[in-house]
Amino acid sequence: MFDLVVRSGTIYDGLGGEPYAADLAITGDQIAAVAPGLDADGAQVVEATGLAVAPGFINMLSHSYYSVLVDPRSMSELKQGVTTQIIGEGNSPGPLTPEERRLLVEKQTVWKFDVPWTRLSECLAYLQQKGTSQNFASFVGEATLRMHGPGHENRPATREEMATMCAVFAEEMADGALGLGTSLIYPPAFFFSTEELIELAKVAARYRGKYISHMRSESTRLLEAIDELVRISREAGLPAEIWHFKAAGQTNWDKMQAAIDRVEAARAEGLKITADIYPYTAGATGLSNCIPPWFHEGGSPKLYERLADPAARAEMRQAIQSTEGVDWENLYAGAGGPEGVLILGTRKDENRKYQGKTLAQVAEMEGTDPLEALFDLVARDRSRVDTAYFMISEDNMRLVMQQPWVSFGSDSPSTAPEGVFLKTSTHPRAYGCFARVLGRYVREEKLLSLPEAVRRMTSLPAGNLGLDRRGRLAEGHFADIVIFDPDTVADRSTYDAPQQYAVGVRDVIVNGVVTLRDGEFAGNLAGRTLYGPGRR
């Protein structure tokens, strides 16, 4: 009757209810039955006595779109039970202009991959054809769309440019994109007005898509940024989600409850506003993003030109050190200065000696002050320089985690402690996001129950995204399944030693195919492209 039977496990169905003992049967790529005592004659049997059997976890914010081309196993994700990765924060793999496609090839460093696509839909089809261990779905990044309009220029889009961006976006939505993804603290997304974002979001709404955002501020103007997201949701007529919801910087930590109240008020109004987080006190982005957005106008080449100009450096320094009238995201201040800024990854080999060092330590090594060290490192490396910023309150993070409308995302590319991935460091969330929730915050702190944590990792994001028959263990749903030990699941990755897999996940099944067996990659690439509800 069945191809595979998971026998005698404890079923967590993804809806948050009490677990129960049962077998789970799979035929083809779908769940055929969930019940005690299923007939396993002729089927492959996976014994799960004493283990939790749950829907595969959905990573609401992944940056694996290029790392998966280097290593399709996505082992750091797979070892945590992730079966679906969601991409498209601000930048997406398409739709590319000819110039952006050229730059995507030319700017490759330790990761080398072909770029035989132009459109996002073509990239996702290429991923499935090439083979991945997990499913992928994507938003269209507003910065990628902007390259079809004003590009890196700090000005409003013309009517013709807006029409072009909307038309290009509509094509991707019709081919299954999830919606519009924005990252508004970064240039060139910073240059978009709210009104322009509403016009783009209306395109997503026509295809039952979603607006999802790294908001314009997570610090001094956090509440105003939530108001902007709510306005976009209301006026464009679509659901909206806050990526990695936080109050960044100690001077802003007291805003967190008010921020939650803002979301609750919008939800009470009937708007579908949700959020996701990673369970860490440090965020991560580029060191170059300590430099105010207007110095990035014209793109990276113009930034490097300005870094070579002493007068421009003086202006950058003054803006970073200023505390009055700040209308941009000052990451340097948010981290409390150079001691809270940790270098993770550089482009050039000669700069890798700084990886794992704080900016304060880099400045000491160079015999200069921290801001000069920052400017020098970005200028020499000719890259954003991957960096962690310690700026989040643990108490606030726990508070947000307890909200029933909050799911989880690693905000990192997949990786592995081998090969080219060892040339750079990473944030521990790449290896530990989901396992940390289950180990520390469920088992040890009992902040969430296990059924509720599973719901937040499965049916909640699947429902928010409109993913067809994902996120639940139920007959007729796709067989994305994780089998783990609730007593041992845990993260092992740290800031000092990040390249360590999580533990406690034994088996992972993707679309009915065993992908992780006894904690090891099973050799199968059964992942698929998943599409939004508006696909034609």
Side-chain angles (χ1 to χ4, degrees), residues 36-333:
L38 293 176
D39 183 0
D41 285 351
Q44 178 185 354
V45 175
V46 176
E47 293 288 350
T49 302
L51 300 177
V53 180
F57 302 146
I58 297 172
N59 186 343
M60 275 297 296
L61 179 52
S62 165
H63 294 287
S64 298
Y65 30 92
Y66 302 137
S67 62
V68 74
L69 294 173
V70 177
D71 183 353
R73 301 173 303 166
S74 291
M75 287 299 293
S76 61
E77 301 272 344
L78 201 59
K79 293 275 282 186
Q80 295 182 72
V82 172
T83 58
T84 296
Q85 301 191 51
I86 307 301
I87 60 177
E89 184 197 9
N91 292 286
S92 52
L96 301 175
T97 65
E99 175 65 7
E100 291 301 304
R101 182 181 178 189
R102 181 184 67 81
L103 290 173
L104 182 55
V105 175
E106 288 185 1
K107 288 185 175 181
Q108 292 178 17
T109 55
V110 295
W111 293 357
K112 303 293 184 184
F113 52 89
D114 295 329
V115 186
W117 71 84
T118 298
R119 299 186 56 218
L120 173 62
S121 57
E122 294 169 347
C123 174
L124 293 174
Y126 175 68
L127 284 182
Q128 180 167 317
Q129 179 185 16
K130 191 172 185 292
T132 65
S133 70
Q134 294 150 320
N135 305 311
F136 277 81
S138 184
F139 288 86
V140 178
E142 97 296 309
T144 304
L145 281 177
R146 191 177 177 89
M147 297 304 106
H148 296 266
H152 293 281
E153 296 180 28
N154 184 4
R155 62 170 177 82
T158 66
R159 183 176 299 179
E160 291 77 15
E161 287 170 337
M162 182 57 69
T164 298
M165 289 188 288
C166 287
V168 170
F169 184 29
E171 289 182 7
E172 296 289 8
M173 288 300 302
D175 281 343
L178 296 174
L180 181 66
T182 67
S183 52
L184 300 178
I185 74 166
Y186 305 117
F190 179 84
F191 304 143
F192 269 117
S193 69
T194 306
E195 291 72 21
E196 288 171 327
L197 294 173
I198 290 169
E199 288 307 303
L200 290 171
K202 286 178 178 177
V203 175
R206 294 205 307 264
Y207 295 87
R208 293 182 290 155
K210 188 182 185 85
Y211 177 76
I212 190 165
S213 183
H214 179 149
M215 297 186 299
R216 205 174 292 272
S217 176
E218 297 175 332
S219 58
T220 56
R221 296 182 61 80
L222 171 63
L223 301 182
E224 293 86 347
I226 295 172
D227 289 343
E228 180 185 42
L229 178 132
V230 170
R231 179 188 167 193
I232 291 169
S233 173
R234 182 186 296 115
E235 295 189 19
L238 79 176
E241 174 142 352
I242 300 168
W243 263 322
H244 38 68
F245 194 23
K246 68 174 79 70
Q250 188 168 355
T251 58
N252 302 299
W253 289 352
D254 61 357
K255 295 183 173 74
M256 195 72 253
Q257 184 60 59
I260 292 170
D261 292 344
R262 282 281 217 286
V263 174
E264 290 282 11
R267 289 171 59 83
E269 179 187 331
L271 299 176
K272 296 179 180 178
I273 310 296
T274 52
D276 55 74
I277 63 167
Y278 46 77
Y280 296 88
T281 57
T285 184
L287 185 65
S288 62
N289 295 120
C290 287
I291 300 169
W294 53 91
F295 292 103
H296 296 252
E297 183 178 5
S300 298
K302 289 295 183 182
L303 172 64
Y304 303 142
E305 286 181 18
R306 294 179 182 112
L307 285 169
D309 179 358
R313 280 199 183 202
E315 292 177 13
M316 294 175 191
R317 175 184 291 271
Q318 182 178 7
I320 293 170
Q321 293 177 329
S322 174
T323 58
E324 296 184 5
V326 176
D327 62 353
W328 63 286
E329 201 78 341
N330 192 330
L331 296 170
Y332 183 87

Side-chain angles (χ1 to χ4, degrees), residues 18 33 41 53 148 169 187 214 242 353 365 415 423 504 510 524:
E18 287 301 310
D41 285 351
V53 180
H148 296 266
F169 184 29
H214 179 149
I242 300 168
K353 61 187 176 183
M365 292 167 67
T415 185
K423 291 190 175 183
V510 180
N524 299 313

